[in-house]
Amino acid sequence: PYRVICDVHRTYDGGKNWAKLNSILNSSGICRDPINPAEVWWPHGKGMYRIKDKDAESLNYESGDNGLEQLCCTQALSAPNGALHIMVMDHGHMRNKNIFEKASSVKPYIAKGAAIDYCETAPEYMLRVGFTDNDVMDTSGAAVSTDGGETFAALDWRETNRIIDAAGSSELGSNGKPVMIMATVGDMSTGEGKGLWRSEDLGISWQKCGETVTYSSSWDYGGRALASDRVNGNTFYYLDNERLYRSDDGGKS
């Protein structure tokens, strides 16, 4: 599902006869160069390819872009400090500090970004989750920031319990830290660990929040299942298929 191989065919008689040429990767379209008729262009998963001679026996292609990339984003978060955090399907967590500079990859590295959130009244606290490899059937990781997203530290999380979403409370608790909640689909083989998990100490310890979750596919990481109320720090919302749940006690019930 990650590398789509497309065969290239060429015709000189309006489509009556076709000759199969070589193959290309991840093509989603093709077009002739309007200025140079010998050239052909097509987009792929990481930018643009260019063929300099469409009549060549073998279509040798080269990268034709400069800083252009096609990305599938699962979430975009505009942080109060002005940075734009983007969770990306194949490139994890990217951050733009301004619109004039290229986005940088945020460490610790993840391959598929699932969710990111911050505390509304204390935005120096941020939570980020995703898949550590480019495979939703593999392991997950979580990281927390205490400096507004400048740096993140990995949490001690059981990697086989795959995470599809996460949210942080909008207010700090009595201990001066936000509540963090994650939705997981469990171990790939056994389903062990599936459910909602909450932490009051920035991920040092986690408690199971009942048996609410019925998600069965880690591909749901691309959608939103969890959200914190942006005014009431004790309120969270969880969408499970056709039911919407609300917690008014910080995710305990």
Side-chain angles (χ1 to χ4, degrees):
Y2 311 117
R3 296 173 66 86
V4 180
I5 299 176
C6 307
D7 292 331
V8 179
H9 296 75
R10 180 170 59 202
T11 179
Y12 286 110
D13 55 11
K16 294 179 181 179
N17 297 284
W18 291 87
K20 181 180 177 181
L21 304 175
N22 46 320
S23 300
I24 58 177
L25 286 175
N26 300 330
S27 175
S28 59
I30 191 168
C31 67
R32 293 271 297 275
D33 189 309
I35 298 176
N36 183 353
E39 290 191 358
V40 175
W41 294 72
W42 69 76
H44 65 99
K46 289 189 176 181
M48 295 290 295
Y49 280 145
R50 176 177 62 182
I51 297 174
K52 290 186 176 181
D53 183 7
K54 65 176 177 57
D55 296 308
E57 182 176 348
S58 178
L59 299 183
N60 297 315
Y61 51 88
E62 61 183 30
S63 178
D65 58 76
N66 181 14
L68 174 69
E69 184 165 6
Q70 175 180 298
L71 294 175
C72 296
C73 303
T74 60
Q75 186 180 356
L77 176 70
S78 179
N81 62 8
L84 178 65
H85 295 263
I86 305 173
M87 309 307 290
V88 187
M89 284 190 175
D90 294 334
H91 299 276
H93 180 187
M94 308 293 290
R95 179 181 58 210
N96 272 100
K97 291 191 175 181
N98 62 69
I99 63 173
F100 303 105
E101 296 180 7
K102 185 177 180 180
S104 59
S105 179
V106 181
K107 297 179 180 180
Y109 175 79
I110 52 175
K112 287 185 178 296
I116 186 169
D117 198 11
Y118 68 93
C119 179
E120 191 78 22
T121 57
E124 63 270 23
Y125 291 104
M126 300 185 75
L127 170 65
R128 183 209 74 183
V129 299
F131 291 89
T132 51
D133 293 316
N134 199 16
D135 185 354
V136 298
M137 298 301 175
D138 213 321
T139 57
S140 283
V144 68
S145 174
T146 59
D147 56 12
E150 288 293 319
T151 61
F152 283 80
L155 300 182
D156 186 16
W157 175 258
R158 196 182 78 194
E159 293 183 336
T160 56
N161 189 4
R162 294 161 296 155
I163 309 166
I164 61 170
D165 208 353
S169 62
S170 60
E171 296 177 306
L172 298 179
S174 58
N175 63 352
K177 298 175 182 178
V179 173
M180 302 188 305
I181 300 182
M182 301 197 300
T184 71
V185 294
D187 182 87
M188 181 180 66
S189 301
T190 65
E192 183 182 357
K194 177 170 65 175
L196 293 178
W197 294 82
R198 68 186 298 275
S199 174
E200 296 180 348
D201 52 16
L202 295 183
I204 296 175
S205 61
W206 294 88
Q207 298 81 42
K208 187 78 173 292
C209 309
E211 299 297 332
T212 304
V213 173
T214 60
Y215 272 114
S216 60
S217 173
S218 54
W219 284 105
D220 289 320
Y221 83 97
R224 298 270 67 81
L226 271 172
S228 62
D229 191 284
R230 307 316 286 181
V231 176
N232 190 329
N234 288 319
T235 301
F236 287 83
Y237 304 95
Y238 170 65
L239 182 64
D240 186 9
N241 294 331
E242 297 180 353
R243 291 188 176 184
L244 178 63
Y245 294 84
R246 185 183 70 201
S247 171
D248 292 319
D249 57 7
K252 293 179 182 178
S253 60

